[in-house]
Amino acid sequence: MKLSRSASWFLLAFGVWSWVIWITFVKNLWNDASGLAFDDAGDPTAYFWVHLLLAVVSFVLGTVVGVIGLRGVRALRGSRRP
């Protein structure tokens, strides 16, 4: 299956975007002072674990989508050469 140029770049951009967004989210989660992510003793709460799992799954999916896009971009560049 061949991806179009725009689809390949979109998938690659989505993968990069996912990493930027979720790295920021994990940093904010780790530095949470509202009491949601950590209890009074400083131990992680269920909120922390659920959102960390969500971030990890999103990292994996973003990476997979980004790799598909990168392969599509590379395949298109290779097909242009004589």
Side-chain angles (χ1 to χ4, degrees), residues 25-39 42 45 47-48:
F25 180 81
V26 169
K27 285 180 185 178
N28 291 338
L29 182 66
W30 192 263
N31 296 324
D32 178 57
S34 70
L36 287 173
F38 298 96
D39 60 15
T45 63
Y47 176 89
F48 174 84

Side-chain angles (χ1 to χ4, degrees), residues 10-40:
F10 175 79
L11 293 175
L12 181 59
F14 181 84
V16 171
W17 177 255
S18 293
W19 272 85
V20 170
I21 292 300
W22 288 105
I23 286 175
T24 303
F25 180 81
V26 169
K27 285 180 185 178
N28 291 338
L29 182 66
W30 192 263
N31 296 324
D32 178 57
S34 70
L36 287 173
F38 298 96
D39 60 15
D40 293 334

